[in-house]
Structures are given as C-alpha cells and as structure tokens.
Amino acid sequence: MAKDYTELAKVIIDKVGGENNVNSLIHCATRLRFNLKDETKADTHSLEKMDGVIDIIQSGGQYQIVIGVAVADVFRAINEQANFSSSEKVAESVGEKGKVAKVLDTVAGMFVPIVAPMAGAGMIKVIVAIASMFGWLTPEDTTYQFLSLFGDTVFYFLPVILAASAAKKFNTNQYLAMVVGASLISPVFVNMVTTAREVGTAVTLFGLPVTLATYSNSVIPIILAVWFLSYVEPIVTRYTPVVLRIFLAPMITLLIVLSATFLVIGPIGTWLADGMNAIVSVMNTTVPWLVPLLVGATTPLLVMTGMHYGIIPIGINMLATKGIDTVAGPGMMVSNIAQGGAALALAFKSKDKILKGLTISTGFSAILGITEPVLYGVNLKYKRPLYAAMFGGGVAGLYLGVMGVGRFAQVPPGLLSLPSYFSADAPNVIIHASMACLVAFVTSFIASYLLGLPKEESDKVIPTTDLSDDTVVAASEGQLLALEEVNDEVFASKAMGDGVAIIPEIDTVLSPVNGTVITVFPTGHAYGIVRPDGVEVLVHIGINTVDLAGDGFTALISQGDTVKAGQAIANFDRQLLLDKGYDTSIMTIITGTKGKTFHLKQSGKVYGGDLL
C-alpha cells in the first residue's frame, strides 16, 4: 500500500510560509524546489527536524527541501492541496537576489521538468543500439524503426518541449511559445533550407536574408526566442484594443517574434551553440582531461549550490548537436559513484550500527544516481568522506578525459547509466566508462577508509538490543555531570535516588535500560521505566520543564510498552527550552535499587547509548 504523504505535505506548505509565500514549485530526482517570495518566512529549523525531510538547501535562488526518492509522491500531495504546479507565477521578488542565483533558478526551472522524458527516450535509443549490435534488430525491421522513432522524437521536437518549459519560467503564453518552437522544425522551413543548400540559393524574409540553420535538437535558439516573446506579448496585449485582442494580439505577437527568431535570434542562438561546442572541442583537443576531472571532483559542491544546472544544458546541447556529451554526464556519473564508495567505506570502518545502516542505504542509492541522501546525511556531515569522494571522482574524471569517454544519451548519472555509453561505432567507450566507475568506487572507498571519521565519531558506539538487562546507558549525547552538580536541590540532594545528568547536544532522549514503561507524564518531560530485575529508573528532561505543559516535548512511547536500552523514547525542542530560559539537563535517576549497587560514570563526553 502506498504511503500517504498528505500530512507531510500540509506541514511543508505551512512551514515554507503558507501558500501565499510560494511563487512556484518544481521537483527534481530528490528535492522539492520552491521559489519563495520571502525565504525569511520559512521555518527552516522546524523543517530540518521533520520526519521525511533530509535537509534544507537555500541556493541558486531556490528554497530546496531534500526529500529523497519519495519526492514525486510528496510533490503530488502538496499540489493536491495547493496546486503550485499549475501556477504560472514567477518570482518578481527574485529581483533582490543575486544575478547568478536568478540565472541558476531560471535554468533549473526550464531543464528540470524535461530531464525525465529525455532520460526515458535516451534509454530507448540505447536499447536500439544494443539490439542492433547483437543482430536482434536491423534498420529494415519496422520494430527497429518504431523504437528509433520513440527514442528520437523527444530530441527532434526538443524546441517545442523546451519552449513549453521556458514559457512557464518566463511567465509567458505556453501555446504561443510552442508555436515558435514548432516553426523552427516545420517541414516547410526544413525543406526551404535543404533546397537552398543543394542549389546554392538564398532564403529571405521581407527581403532580409535568413540563416540556413537547422534547429531540430537545438537548445539555445528557442530559449532566447521565448525570452523575447515574454517581453513582446504583454506589450502587444496592452496596446491592442480589447474588442480585437482575442485574434489581433496573438497575430501581431507571432509576426514580431517569429520574424525576429528566424532573422536574428535563431542565428545568434546557433552561433552561441557553435561557439560553446568550439570551446569544448578545443579543450577536448588540448586538455581533454581537464573538464571531466573538474566535474568529477567538484560535482558534490556544484549540487550543494545548485551550480550543476549550469553545466547540464551544455551536455544536452552537445548531445543535440554532436551526438555525444563529454562535459556533464561522465564526470557526474563517476562523482556519484565515488560518493557511494566513500560512504560505504564507513560501513566497514565505523562501530556505530546506526551509521552503518545509514551509509549502506544511502551509499547504494548514490551509486545508482541519487546522491542527496548520502551527501547531506553522511558525507557533508562528517567531511572526511566528502574529501574522499571528491578525490575519487577527480581521479576517475581524469581517466575519462584521457580516454575520451562521452555518453550518447541523456540519462541520470549513475551506475545504471552505463548503457548510455554504448555505441556500435565506438565500442570501447563503454569499456572505459565501466573502468572509470570502478576507479571512482575503489579510489574513494580506500581514501575514505584510510581517512576514517573524526575521533569523537569513530569512538561512538551505539549498543544494540542484545544488551544485558543489568545495563545502564547514556540517555542522550552530551556532557556528563555528577548528580550533585545539577542546578536543582531535589535532584542534587539525591532525595529521589542516585544517578547522573547529561547536558544534551541533541534533541533525542533514549531509554537508559531494558524494561517496561510504567509512567509517561502527560507533559512528555519525564518517564518511569522498570527493569526486569525490578530496578526502577526515572528519566527527567530539563529542570522545572513541567511548567511548559508539554510544549516542545514529544513522547515516542506509551505506558506499558517494552523498551530496549538505547531506544528513542522522546524528542524535545532543546532550542525552545534554552530560549525560554530552562535548564536542559537530562537526569537518569535510579529510584528503586532493589538492593543493587550502581557505579555510574560521572563526567566526560558521551553519546546516546554509551555504557555508563
């Protein structure tokens, strides 16, 4: 049964400042990408703590909520309540943002929605190539021709598809934009250009020469044309009489925009694309190792800032014009695999079983192409695996560049994208791409294993459920205090029993013992647990926090539940307590010893679950 994300969607809408604070919303493979009117209205602190939210990134002019693989479901749930996806509003408020941020926001908004159809069509092209190589299909087979049609359509009609996406971002009429895109690949225009080239004649419009360019598969010309349309349409509409507007405004708009597109904008876009390809060609000839090395090493940083959307269009343009991408896809592929390798090394290195589970799940996800969970959940958090991943990605990128590896289809960069490196005309490319993936994984794995974790993390041991019943463990992460040092006379005097206190550094409270929950205070600030041997333990969160009447406390257990030492029993808003002037010390007090003697550790740094 599919998980219901309705409640999560409702909270997200509220925490980003409400529906009225949202200009637009799109999503990529793992992130919700909001364009907010005022990012200061978003409750980032609360969002970061929500179950189902991995991280919050404010970059590239967007407020990005990292969800993971369930992002499409959350996106759908949000739009069922607020319908942001159908909105054609564009953030006028981004005028306050930097120029780079606005450019990245625009690029992301145009290209994110079309990546999925391009990836699907790209894989169909790969299937056709493999089937042809093994002789399963021949160009004469109608099945071959249909599959080729399926794979090529999205690329041939890319001007139309990109026009619709760009129109939404530029806040102009999508249907007029698609007409402009369709005109660039119209059979009439294509035939005029073909005939003129064959016989050596010119093509003119209003007596002015038209550049004999081919715009199918193109990227830059249609983006420029739709941008121009976004300025022309409102001006024409404003000055057209209302009674004639329904036909006269679009007629004048199309005449102006289409004429400008064929005479000026299209040629400029073509020259820019050719210039971009020329620069890449020169680099591939003189320093072929440089670009893949840089992309392989820096992709984690590019993803953090949203800058990777600056190079994706370059790769798409190369695929459209040259049939091969040596810039974006290869370097990103080995970088993702390197991130997975660096994280998986920690599964062998760390003694922390929770961290082991996290690195295994997110590491394999990264290898398959989804990196946000491992980037924000592991590599950025511990730093050293990030350095290892950048090193491994750079080494593998260097190998890619030296061997001249490129992909032949637009697919998400990861291990599953390897088939996109197959070409019957260049069969060695996929071999070198596979070798680069191996180099990325092994290099980053070894580097991460050798670097390890910072000492305080590598010493961290989380007990498992096989701890004996006479065990007492730390109820949270933080600094231990002897009970006498607690700023409360009742606790410090040990009138309720002996024990220890922890000045917490996290917002989670764990059970210090195996046992049965006998008391859960209605305010959620205190819990009583009895061990199987009859020893009774009180866990008390903060001093005088009963006065908060439950505000900031969330009980994760109920009276009568059986708990294990190290199991989470409560969450609390530590910052809320501090802001309101409360002492956050967490006391573990043995209220009934049953004749047993306890000698608990009294000082030093502890992690939740450490043996006391």
Side-chain angles (χ1 to χ4, degrees):
M1 183 177 177
K3 185 175 179 180
D4 187 2
Y5 293 96
T6 302
E7 189 60 32
L8 176 60
K10 181 180 178 181
V11 176
I12 288 176
I13 294 170
D14 177 62
K15 297 301 182 184
V16 298
E19 183 174 351
N20 292 332
N21 194 40
V22 178
N23 278 308
S24 63
L25 169 64
I26 58 175
H27 77 86
C28 57
T30 57
R31 308 183 195 187
L32 296 170
R33 295 173 175 271
F34 284 92
N35 195 309
L36 301 180
K37 295 177 181 177
D38 184 357
E39 290 187 2
T40 63
K41 292 183 178 180
D43 187 353
T44 301
H45 179 68
S46 297
L47 281 168
E48 287 175 331
K49 294 165 57 179
M50 287 176 58
D51 183 27
V53 174
I54 296 173
D55 204 355
I56 304 296
I57 309 297
Q58 292 174 259
S59 177
Q62 295 179 333
Y63 190 86
Q64 305 170 17
I65 302 178
V66 183
I67 299 294
V69 294
V71 65
D73 297 317
V74 179
F75 176 81
R76 190 177 302 110
I78 289 175
N79 277 298
E80 286 175 354
Q81 299 184 44
N83 198 27
F84 295 134
S85 64
S86 65
S87 173
E88 294 192 357
K89 296 182 291 182
V90 174
E92 297 297 335
S93 59
V94 298
E96 299 298 322
K97 302 176 181 177
K99 292 182 179 180
V100 173
K102 287 191 286 184
V103 169
L104 290 174
D105 175 57
T106 301
V107 172
M110 285 188 291
F111 282 94
V112 167
I114 70 171
V115 167
M118 293 187 71
M123 289 307 297
I124 293 176
K125 290 168 68 71
V126 170
I127 292 172
V128 172
I130 294 175
S132 177
M133 182 189 73
F134 286 104
W136 301 333
L137 293 173
T138 66
E140 291 73 28
D141 295 330
T142 54
T143 299
Y144 176 98
Q145 294 167 15
F146 267 111
L147 290 177
S148 297
L149 168 68
F150 299 162
D152 290 335
T153 297
V154 68
F155 297 97
Y156 182 83
F157 289 99
L158 187 57
V160 180
I161 298 171
L162 191 53
S165 184
K168 198 166 185 179
K169 195 61 188 174
F170 289 131
N171 194 26
T172 192
N173 189 297
Q174 277 187 292
Y175 304 100
L176 288 176
M178 286 188 286
V179 170
V180 176
S183 69
L184 293 175
I185 56 175
S186 166
V188 175
F189 176 67
V190 172
N191 289 335
M192 282 195 294
V193 171
T194 301
T195 302
R197 286 174 174 172
E198 289 176 352
V199 301
T201 58
V203 174
T204 62
L205 173 62
F206 304 129
L208 300 173
V210 175
T211 301
L212 303 181
T214 301
Y215 295 108
S216 59
N217 303 326
S218 65
V219 173
I220 298 178
I222 188 59
I223 293 176
L224 295 178
V226 176
W227 174 75
F228 180 63
L229 170 67
S230 70
Y231 284 93
V232 173
E233 184 202 8
I235 294 174
V236 171
T237 302
R238 185 182 308 122
Y239 290 103
T240 302
V242 175
V243 293
L244 303 176
R245 187 172 293 171
I246 190 170
F247 67 89
L248 191 59
M251 181 193 78
I252 295 174
T253 299
L254 286 176
L255 282 173
I256 293 173
V257 174
L258 289 174
S259 299
T261 297
F262 283 105
L263 292 171
V264 180
I265 297 173
I268 290 176
T270 301
W271 298 335
L272 289 174
D274 291 343
M276 187 185 301
N277 288 334
I279 292 172
V280 173
S281 296
V282 170
M283 296 184 70
N284 285 339
T285 301
T286 56
V287 282
W289 48 268
L290 181 59
V291 173
L293 184 155
L294 292 175
V295 175
T298 63
T299 288
L301 306 181
L302 296 176
V303 170
M304 286 164 50
T305 59
M307 293 286 289
H308 62 303
Y309 280 105
I311 62 173
I312 287 177
I314 298 176
I316 293 176
N317 183 70
M318 290 189 69
L319 282 171
T321 57
K322 303 180 69 174
I324 185 171
D325 165 28
T326 59
V327 172
M332 287 184 173
M333 175 182 69
V334 295
S335 173
N336 291 351
I337 291 173
Q339 285 209 65
L344 288 172
L346 300 185
F348 291 86
K349 186 78 171 181
S350 175
K351 298 176 183 178
D352 181 346
K353 292 197 173 184
I354 294 177
L355 181 59
K356 284 179 182 288
L358 178 64
T359 54
I360 290 173
S361 61
T362 60
F364 279 113
S365 173
I367 289 172
L368 297 179
I370 304 299
T371 59
E372 275 88 346
V374 76
L375 176 61
Y376 299 114
V378 178
N379 294 345
L380 267 176
K381 181 177 181 180
Y382 299 113
K383 302 297 190 297
R384 294 183 185 182
L386 175 63
Y387 305 148
M390 293 177 68
F391 175 70
V395 172
L398 175 62
Y399 179 87
L400 288 169
V402 171
M403 296 301 172
V405 175
R407 63 176 176 177
F408 301 98
Q410 172 71 29
V411 295
L415 191 63
L416 297 180
S417 71
L418 274 177
S420 68
Y421 291 81
F422 172 77
S423 171
D425 298 327
N428 288 335
V429 170
I430 192 171
I431 297 174
H432 290 305
S434 302
M435 285 298 299
C437 291
L438 182 62
V439 169
F441 181 85
V442 172
T443 305
S444 62
F445 186 97
I446 293 174
S448 182
Y449 190 87
L450 293 176
L451 288 172
L453 290 168
K455 186 178 187 303
E456 62 270 18
E457 295 295 340
S458 60
D459 290 343
K460 182 179 175 183
V461 180
I462 299 294
T464 58
T465 55
D466 58 0
L467 290 172
S468 63
D469 289 339
D470 60 358
T471 294
V472 179
V473 304
S476 192
E477 176 182 335
Q479 294 295 326
L480 268 179
L481 288 179
L483 203 57
E484 295 89 338
E485 299 179 61
V486 170
N487 188 27
D488 181 88
E489 185 177 346
V490 174
F491 291 128
S493 67
K494 301 184 180 179
M496 299 180 64
D498 204 351
V500 294
I502 296 174
I503 301 175
E505 297 174 4
I506 61 175
D507 295 0
T508 301
V509 181
L510 311 180
S511 172
V513 295
N514 295 337
T516 302
V517 180
I518 56 174
T519 306
V520 175
F521 280 70
T523 53
H525 79 290
Y527 303 82
I529 302 170
V530 59
R531 294 197 325 192
D533 59 2
V535 171
E536 296 180 6
V537 178
L538 171 68
V539 181
H540 194 285
I541 308 170
I543 295 175
N544 296 324
T545 48
V546 66
D547 297 339
L548 291 172
D551 187 20
F553 295 93
T554 302
L556 304 178
I557 54 174
S558 302
Q559 186 171 333
D561 287 352
T562 298
V563 294
K564 295 292 185 179
Q567 175 183 335
I569 60 174
N571 290 327
F572 71 107
D573 192 333
R574 187 165 50 96
Q575 192 59 50
L576 174 68
L577 268 62
L578 291 171
D579 290 344
K580 293 192 174 185
Y582 287 90
D583 187 317
T584 60
S585 299
I586 299 173
M587 277 66 67
T588 299
I589 302 171
I590 300 168
T591 57
T593 64
K594 289 295 181 180
K596 294 182 179 292
T597 302
F598 293 85
H599 300 283
L600 302 180
K601 184 178 179 182
Q602 298 286 305
S603 63
K605 172 69 180 283
V606 292
Y607 291 91
D610 279 355
L611 295 174
L612 295 182

